[in-house]
Amino acid sequence: MTPPARLPRFDLMATKVLDDSREAGTAEREDRRPPHGAPHVWVLAVIAGRNPTSVHRLARYETVIGRGCDEAAIDLEDDEVSKRHCLLRVEGPVCTIQDLGSLNGTRINGRRMNDGTVHRLRHLDEIQVGATRLFVLTGRFRQRPPESK
């Protein structure tokens, strides 16, 4: 039996130590920008339809709900949904919805929206688009307090 060969040793790599007084941001040392709408977060949770477990965060100023269209950021696989069904607009703590002239209409809490009207959404409102029902969830996140040493 031969004795085991010695494993080669590699020199340790030098590591760069960051200055603790400066918070690490992006590669260009910019501060990280908060996400769209921060500190307010708007989420649509599908509760009935083809995919009842999907959740959509509204991460843009304008979000179109539709079916099989490139312009629709939220694509619902529902035959009763128009290609461009409704428009959601987020402006900080306010989120509004507008029907875009869809054939089957948009319902908020069981009431049908009139064409061209804008409705302000609130936490736990229910949106019905075709046969798909979505819950509106909103909240605020707080900035983490600086860690004390």
Side-chain angles (χ1 to χ4, degrees):
M1 190 171 206
T2 60
R6 295 191 81 187
L7 296 174
R9 297 203 76 161
F10 296 101
D11 294 331
L12 294 176
M13 294 178 59
T15 58
K16 185 176 180 181
V17 177
L18 293 175
D19 183 11
D20 288 340
S21 65
R22 199 168 115 177
E23 186 178 319
T26 62
E28 291 81 26
R29 298 291 178 229
E30 298 172 351
D31 289 334
R32 292 190 187 277
R33 283 182 258 158
H36 174 77
H40 304 280
V41 179
W42 290 89
V43 175
L44 297 178
V46 178
I47 58 170
R50 282 224 174 144
N51 195 358
T53 59
S54 62
V55 176
H56 306 279
R57 180 170 179 205
L58 302 180
R60 302 177 184 170
Y61 172 67
E62 289 185 339
T63 303
V64 174
I65 296 177
R67 173 183 48 91
C69 177
D70 292 337
E71 295 178 43
I74 299 175
D75 186 3
L76 302 177
E77 297 173 10
D78 186 345
D79 294 334
E80 297 179 27
V81 175
S82 300
K83 287 185 178 183
R84 289 179 36 94
H85 198 97
C86 60
L87 172 71
L88 295 156
R89 186 172 286 142
V90 176
E91 297 179 68
V94 177
C95 182
T96 58
I97 186 169
Q98 179 180 7
D99 189 80
L100 297 175
S102 62
L103 184 63
N104 293 323
T106 303
R107 293 181 177 270
I108 308 295
N109 299 323
R111 302 179 91 182
R112 188 177 171 123
M113 291 183 64
N114 295 329
D115 290 340
T117 61
V118 176
H119 181 83
R120 183 176 177 173
L121 295 172
R122 291 181 172 75
H123 182 63
L124 295 180
D125 276 350
E126 182 182 309
I127 301 171
Q128 184 172 350
V129 179
T132 305
R133 291 176 27 223
L134 306 109
F135 256 167
V136 177
L137 304 171
T138 185
R140 269 183 88 156
F141 61 86
R142 297 185 188 131
Q143 298 291 339
R144 290 185 192 165
E147 295 181 18
S148 59
K149 292 183 181 182

